């Protein structure tokens, strides 16, 4: 059935989120809201050292402390056969370099700790306070060892080696190839732009700290975990396959409401395995909850790259080639996707929206004595976009042309679409020059000189910048959905993707409503429970609408097709003559009709079914597609103002035009844009996870030291869409979740560089960093004068 034109709940309509009533009135169910009868509480003792050998451990006082039920160590885990936590991806090494090294990560450390926050001992007690108090009674003698937390120095010959059996801190040296092509482009270059840059380390900080509740169902011999996630199926697979080495059906994972994910929630966490293991040992449920500082050192971090990049141009400012050399910090261990993020994942959009084929990217993934890194909103693509956009700005300066003009000269043209990029991915749709034109108009680019003059008259400096990105959204090119019609005529939609703030209860209900014509409020979303969801890949990489949405649409259409057959049988008409109008199945050109409830009732009565039809309206679909990704993109324009007395930078204006294909719900997509821009602004201006270079101590483990964006840090955001539907899925949708995190950093840094009159300044643009650039310029001016 086609979308119902003018329907306020159909596809394309700005429907308010149905889940918000429940969440804003305190009726949500986050994991910490769940308490199981008889539950005990776990606390984890973590390493205070960045690198140290464990000499001895005395647990007697902790075991004798009030309320303590168990004090667990790595030796106990080994004795019980608890498995290792391996990386789940393979990154091919560059020719002539050793293969990826995946260090063995045990659930608790017994011989050596390798970052501040490494797990050493787990204590289970009757109350959380008792478990925390007992942790303080554990006596551990450490022999401190030299540590390395500086990404740029991690591969130096004299750097302390974290995994001695590896012989160096190199995890893997990866290249996309095309080295000869890139070198040839530089040999014929008219001008070469160069930039050295840092991708600052970030802490994801979802609103909801991580929680895990483990239960052992002795009757079924099954582990049951309640925990926030980005998809219960993947968590179940990780725990069953790696931690406990049991069949999938022996692990149940339940995720109810989740307060944010950003790529962090889909991992195989030691604490999740710990509560399940402890619950089985004790014969009672065990609950663990991290506080905010523990979250800072237990959740994976993001970004943390040091990069040298250069771009070759011909005499007309057309980019000929690019070479990028990066060191990417992995942390002390590898999380699930760690080394894939800065390599294969990011490189899927190498060249972004520009006609650029001679590209050689090389990344050396390096171990450091820090929290492991993994996917964080954008997962490798923001880093690629930032590098290219910085190079184009420097190139514009070399040619004396505008940063808007150099991009126009390099965009992939409409007549080149679909365009196979330099790593073989096909950009199936896009209007890049048109999107830039819309963004410049939305930002009032032509009015900038007057605003700049006004700032200067007030003693301030002003700059404007552009950040264009393309995202590779999707991943895991299959997804499952099931639609079941209940006797009341409502639809229960089971789907393998997972909403952790995106609004799936609303968007997916719009899709089912548009296909089936039942009331929007009569669609119920079922997700996040491996007993209810047979398969699926969760939510990450902005895949839900294009994978779960399409699967939901197809499952709905399968239900509708069967319902038409039943209605035709009831009305003694041909199936081709049955129309669905206003929730009624009618025979075209007559007043003969049956309602959805009548059709559902008939579907449950074998006597009323056509021959060969099975009872019930219950259809499921495994949607598969031949392409892994599609390619949302957008042009973001930022305007900043700087106070030269203090170095304080303010993002004063911000405009963004994104191409996310067809839009299911504009209100939801605006929310995704706002959230992504806020996180991108946080990286550009405020956020930085910092370690002490001598001791390896984590210096930013609270919000007193780690600066998160606040409402006052963001200007009003002007948002619009350039809708270019993708031809590769039924709905024509592209991903919408990560664009802001890709577009904001290059746009804001571009604007800051213009205001400061420099080629480049590293993120975050703190007052001190900006003030130092201004002071250096003043000293240089004084020396020259």
């Amino acid at each position: 059935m086609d979308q119902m034109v003018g329907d306020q709940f159909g596809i394309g309509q700005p429907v308010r989120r149905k889940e918000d009533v429940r969440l804003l009135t305190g009726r949500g169910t986050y994991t910490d809201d769940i308490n199981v009868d008889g539950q005990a509480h776990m606390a984890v003792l973590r390493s205070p050292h960045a690198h140290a050998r464990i000499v001895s451990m005395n647990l007697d006082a902790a075991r004798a402390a009030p309320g303590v039920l168990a004090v667990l160590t790595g030796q106990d885990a080994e004795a019980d056969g608890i498995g290792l936590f391996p990386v789940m991806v393979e990154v091919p090494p560059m020719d002539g370099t050793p293969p990826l090294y995946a260090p063995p990560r045990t659930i608790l450390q017994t011989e050596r700790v390798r970052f501040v926050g490494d797990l050493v001992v787990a204590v289970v007690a009757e109350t959380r306070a008792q478990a925390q108090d007992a942790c303080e009674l554990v006596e551990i003698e450490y022999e401190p060892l030299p540590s390395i937390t500086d990404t740029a120095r991690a591969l130096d010959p004299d750097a302390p080696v974290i995994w001695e059996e590896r012989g160096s801190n190199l995890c893997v040296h990866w290249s996309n190839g095309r080295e000869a092509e890139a070198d040839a482009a530089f040999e014929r270059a008219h001008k070469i732009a160069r930039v050295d840059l840092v991708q600052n380390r970030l802490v994801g900080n979802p609103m909801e700290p991580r929680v895990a509740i483990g239960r052992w169902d002795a009757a079924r011999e099954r582990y049951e975990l309640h925990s926030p996630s980005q998809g219960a199926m993947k968590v179940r697979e990780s725990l069953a396959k790696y931690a406990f080495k049991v069949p999938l059906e022996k692990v149940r994972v339940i995720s109810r409401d989740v307060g944010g994910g950003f790529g962090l929630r889909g991992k195989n966490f030691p604490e999740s395995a710990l509560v399940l293991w402890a619950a089985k040992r004790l014969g009672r449920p065990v609950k663990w909850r991290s506080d905010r500082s523990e979250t800072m050192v237990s959740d994976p971090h993001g970004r943390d790259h040091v990069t040298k990049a250069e771009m070759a141009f011909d005499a007309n400012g057309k980019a000929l080639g690019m070479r990028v050399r990066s060191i990417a910090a992995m942390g002390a261990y590898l999380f699930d996707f760690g080394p894939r993020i800065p390599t294969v994942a990011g490189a899927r959009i190498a060249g972004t929206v520009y006609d650029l084929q001679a590209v050689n990217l090389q990344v050396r993934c390096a171990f450091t004595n820090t929290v492991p890194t993994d996917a964080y909103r954008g997962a490798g693509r923001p880093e690629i976009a930032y590098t290219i956009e910085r190079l184009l700005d420097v190139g514009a300066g070399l040619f004396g042309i505008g940063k808007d003009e150099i991009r126009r000269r390099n965009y992939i043209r409409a007549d080149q679409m679909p365009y196979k990029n330099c790593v073989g991915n096909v950009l199936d749709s896009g209007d890049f020059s048109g999107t830039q034109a819309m963004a410049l108009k939305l930002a009032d680019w032509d009015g900038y000189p007057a605003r700049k003059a006004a700032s200067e008259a007030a003693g301030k400096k002003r700059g404007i910048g552009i950040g264009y990105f393309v995202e590779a959204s999707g991943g895991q090119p299959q997804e499952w959905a099931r639609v079941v019609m209940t006797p009341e005529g409502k639809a229960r939609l089971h789907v393998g993707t997972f909403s952790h703030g995106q609004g799936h209860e609303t968007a997916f209900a719009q899709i089912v409503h548009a296909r089936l014509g039942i009331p929007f409020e009569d669609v119920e979303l079922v997700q996040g429970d491996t007993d209810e969801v047979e398969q699926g890949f969760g939510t990450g990489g902005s895949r839900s609408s294009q994978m779960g949405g399409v699967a939901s649409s197809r499952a709905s259409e399968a239900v509708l097709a069967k319902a038409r057959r039943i209605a035709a049988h009831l009305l003694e008409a041909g199936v081709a003559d049955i129309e669905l109008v206003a929730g009624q199945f009618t025979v075209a050109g007559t007043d003969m009709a049956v309602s959805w409830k009548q059709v559902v009732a008939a579907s449950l009565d074998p006597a009323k079914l056509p021959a060969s039809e099975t009872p019930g309206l219950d259809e499921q679909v495994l949607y598969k597609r031949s392409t892994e990704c599609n390619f949302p993109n957008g042009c973001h324009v930022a305007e900043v103002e700087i106070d030269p007395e203090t170095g304080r930078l303010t993002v004063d204006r911000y405009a963004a035009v994104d191409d996310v294909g067809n839009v299911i719900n504009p209100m939801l997509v605006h929310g995704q844009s706002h959230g992504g821009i806020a996180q991108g602004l946080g990286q550009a201006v405020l956020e930085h996870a910092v370690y002490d270079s001598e001791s390896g101590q984590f210096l930013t483990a609270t919000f007193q030291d780690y600066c998160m964006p606040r409402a006052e840090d963001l200007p009003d955001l002007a948002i619009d869409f350039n809708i270019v539907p993708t031809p590769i899925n039924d709905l024509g949708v592209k991903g919408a979740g990560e664009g802001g995190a890709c577009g904001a950093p290059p746009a804001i840094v571009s604007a800051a560089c213009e205001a400061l009159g420099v080629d480049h300044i590293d993120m975050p643009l703190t007052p001190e960093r900006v003030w130092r650039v201004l002071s250096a310029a003043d000293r240089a001016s004084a020396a020259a004068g």
Side-chain angles (χ1 to χ4, degrees):
M1 176 182 174
D2 294 331
Q3 174 191 345
M4 292 171 285
V5 178
D7 176 12
Q8 64 173 321
F9 296 110
I11 294 173
Q13 298 301 310
V15 180
R16 287 185 177 274
R17 294 183 3 147
K18 63 160 60 178
E19 52 267 67
D20 284 350
V21 174
R22 171 172 54 83
L23 297 175
L24 293 174
T25 55
R27 288 180 286 142
T29 304
Y30 297 92
T31 306
D32 198 36
D33 295 325
I34 300 170
N35 292 290
V36 184
D37 288 344
Q39 74 186 13
H41 294 263
M42 185 181 80
V44 178
L45 180 66
R46 299 178 182 274
S47 167
H49 299 282
H51 198 192
R53 185 173 291 107
I54 298 174
V55 178
S56 65
M57 204 181 286
N58 187 331
L59 309 175
D60 293 344
R63 285 177 170 146
V68 170
L69 302 169
V71 179
L72 303 174
T73 68
Q75 285 93 345
D76 299 320
E78 184 178 1
D80 283 1
I82 304 301
L84 302 175
F85 287 74
V87 67
M88 296 183 185
V89 294
E90 182 60 51
V91 174
M94 192 172 79
D95 290 346
T97 64
L100 180 145
Y101 178 70
R105 185 179 189 183
T106 56
I107 196 169
L108 295 166
Q109 302 310 311
T110 59
E111 298 177 357
R112 187 180 291 201
V113 291
R114 292 176 170 86
F115 70 98
V116 173
D118 211 350
L119 296 81
V120 184
V121 173
V123 177
V124 184
E126 295 288 353
T127 70
R128 185 168 183 259
Q130 288 174 331
Q132 291 173 323
D133 289 346
C135 280
E136 296 183 6
L137 299 176
V138 175
E139 299 175 10
I140 300 178
E141 181 184 352
Y142 292 101
E143 178 190 339
L145 300 170
S147 62
I148 179 69
T149 57
D150 184 344
T151 303
R153 289 192 51 249
L155 298 176
D156 288 356
D158 60 346
V161 175
I162 298 168
W163 294 96
E164 292 174 350
E165 53 268 53
R166 174 62 163 176
S168 79
N169 291 325
L170 180 67
C171 169
V172 66
H173 186 166
W174 171 89
S175 172
N176 73 300
R178 301 204 177 191
E179 190 170 1
E181 294 94 323
D183 290 346
F186 278 84
E187 288 174 4
R188 66 179 192 273
H190 178 71
K191 292 183 183 293
I192 297 175
R194 295 183 173 89
V195 66
D196 293 350
L197 56 88
V198 171
Q199 282 280 345
N200 39 321
R201 174 179 281 251
L202 304 175
V203 182
N205 282 312
M207 186 179 294
E208 177 193 16
R210 197 151 45 85
V211 184
I213 304 170
R215 179 175 174 269
W216 172 250
D217 184 337
R220 298 187 183 184
E221 295 187 330
R222 183 170 78 160
Y223 297 96
E224 294 185 358
L225 174 73
H226 285 269
S227 187
S229 75
Q230 290 181 215
M233 306 300 294
K234 178 180 178 298
V235 176
R236 179 181 74 163
E237 181 180 2
S238 300
L239 290 167
K241 184 176 181 180
Y242 299 112
F244 300 113
K245 297 183 263 256
V246 297
L248 287 178
E249 61 269 19
K250 293 300 182 181
V251 178
R252 181 189 183 191
V253 176
I254 309 105
S255 297
R256 300 302 185 200
D257 294 316
V258 173
F262 315 129
L264 312 177
R265 291 294 193 225
K267 309 306 166 199
N268 190 5
F269 290 110
E271 295 89 350
S272 297
L274 278 172
V275 294
L276 292 171
W277 171 45
K280 183 177 181 181
R281 280 181 65 110
L282 293 172
R284 59 189 289 189
V286 175
K287 182 175 184 177
W288 167 79
R289 173 174 63 82
S290 64
D291 59 23
R292 182 56 62 181
S293 288
E294 192 171 13
T295 292
M296 293 274 196
V297 297
S298 65
D299 283 5
H301 291 177
R303 317 292 194 239
D304 198 352
H305 303 177
V306 176
T307 296
K308 292 182 177 292
E310 53 187 354
M311 184 176 285
F313 294 91
D314 69 13
N316 295 316
K318 174 70 172 66
L320 300 173
M322 182 173 70
R323 293 188 294 219
V324 179
R325 304 290 182 266
S326 294
I327 301 175
M330 294 292 96
Y333 306 92
L334 300 181
F335 258 119
D336 299 12
F337 297 120
R340 188 175 189 269
I341 302 305
T343 56
V344 179
R348 286 185 297 186
I349 51 93
T352 66
V353 292
Y354 305 106
D355 181 19
L356 189 58
Q357 290 289 325
V359 174
N360 177 237
L361 311 174
Q362 292 187 27
V363 180
R364 290 181 293 163
C365 298
F367 293 110
T368 53
N369 292 111
T370 61
V371 176
T373 60
D374 205 284
Y376 174 68
R377 201 167 192 165
R381 280 86 77 188
E383 296 90 316
I384 293 285
Y386 182 73
T387 300
I388 290 177
E389 295 299 288
R390 296 304 310 122
L391 285 169
L392 285 170
D393 274 10
V394 173
L398 293 176
F399 284 94
I401 60 177
K403 52 187 76 174
D404 55 334
E405 177 58 27
I406 199 166
R407 287 168 173 79
R408 288 190 195 98
R409 296 182 186 186
N410 284 283
Y411 285 131
I412 299 164
R413 303 185 311 274
D415 65 337
Q416 294 176 288
M417 301 295 288
Y419 180 89
K420 182 179 286 189
N421 70 10
C422 60
V423 293
N425 287 320
V426 177
L427 278 65
D428 58 78
S429 58
D431 172 23
F432 311 129
S433 59
T435 298
Q436 175 177 296
M438 289 178 64
L440 297 185
K441 182 177 181 180
L442 187 64
D444 187 22
W445 184 270
D446 292 340
Y448 166 69
R451 294 190 295 274
K452 181 176 178 66
S455 291
E456 290 175 348
K460 304 290 181 66
K461 294 181 177 292
R462 180 174 283 265
I464 193 168
I466 298 176
Y468 209 120
F469 70 91
V470 68
E471 240 280 273
S473 71
Q476 299 293 352
Q478 66 179 47
E479 191 50 72
W480 174 89
R482 175 187 178 194
V483 173
V484 181
M485 298 300 297
T486 71
E488 299 78 24
K490 298 183 179 182
R492 298 185 79 232
L493 169 65
H494 304 242
V495 66
T497 57
F498 185 79
S499 178
H500 41 279
Q502 295 91 338
H504 294 181
E505 290 180 50
T506 302
F508 287 1
Q510 289 178 253
I511 293 171
V512 175
H513 163 72
R515 296 294 179 257
L516 299 183
I518 65 173
F520 166 80
E521 59 272 16
D522 285 349
V523 181
E524 176 191 355
L525 179 67
V526 179
Q527 62 166 16
D529 185 340
T530 56
D531 275 5
E532 297 276 359
V533 177
E534 293 182 16
Q535 55 184 304
F537 290 92
T539 292
S542 301
R543 68 186 300 273
S544 287
S545 63
Q546 60 188 279
M547 299 306 301
V550 172
S552 300
S553 177
R554 291 190 177 187
S556 299
E557 289 166 351
V559 165
L560 180 59
K562 184 174 182 179
R564 276 195 171 116
R565 295 194 297 271
I566 296 172
H569 183 69
L570 295 174
L571 296 169
E572 299 181 346
V575 175
D577 295 326
I578 299 297
E579 296 178 344
L580 178 61
V581 180
Q584 297 277 320
F585 292 90
T586 67
V587 179
T590 75
D591 60 359
M592 299 170 59
V594 290
S595 69
W596 256 113
K597 286 187 178 180
Q598 289 174 301
V599 170
V600 172
S603 78
L604 299 173
D605 183 352
K608 295 182 178 180
L609 286 176
S612 76
E613 294 286 0
T614 56
L617 286 168
D618 182 347
E619 300 291 330
Q620 54 184 293
V621 166
L622 181 62
Y623 164 57
K624 297 181 180 181
R625 71 182 189 199
S626 59
T627 57
E628 181 185 12
C629 299
N630 62 34
F631 299 92
N633 59 91
C635 184
H636 290 211
V637 181
E639 226 169 289
V640 306
E641 190 175 67
I642 293 172
D643 182 347
E645 294 296 320
T646 63
R648 177 177 168 80
L649 178 146
T650 302
V651 180
D652 186 57
R653 295 167 64 93
Y654 199 99
V657 174
D658 287 353
D659 166 16
V660 299
N662 288 329
V663 177
I664 295 173
N665 184 324
M667 188 179 296
L668 295 182
V669 179
H670 280 301
Q672 288 290 295
S673 298
H674 289 178
I677 291 166
Q679 287 185 267
L681 182 147
Q683 178 177 8
V685 182
L686 303 167
E687 299 182 52
H688 194 190
V690 179
Y691 287 85
D692 181 82
S693 60
E694 296 297 324
S695 67
Q697 287 296 313
F698 189 38
L699 302 179
T700 51
T702 73
F703 286 155
Q704 289 181 310
D705 303 298
Y706 187 91
C707 189
M708 293 279 284
R710 301 167 177 82
E712 66 176 5
D713 295 312
L714 279 85
D716 289 336
L717 304 175
I719 307 292
D720 202 356
F721 305 120
N722 184 12
I723 296 175
V724 184
T726 175
I728 67 171
N729 67 61
D730 306 9
L731 299 173
V733 295
K734 306 173 186 177
E738 296 166 297
C742 298
I748 292 169
V749 172
S750 174
C753 290
E754 179 167 310
L756 295 169
V758 297
D759 280 347
H760 181 69
I761 178 174
D762 273 326
M763 303 181 288
L765 303 172
T766 60
E768 179 187 3
R769 181 165 287 173
V770 172
W771 180 84
R772 289 187 182 279
V773 170
L774 290 167
S775 297
D778 288 343
R779 289 194 299 272
S781 178

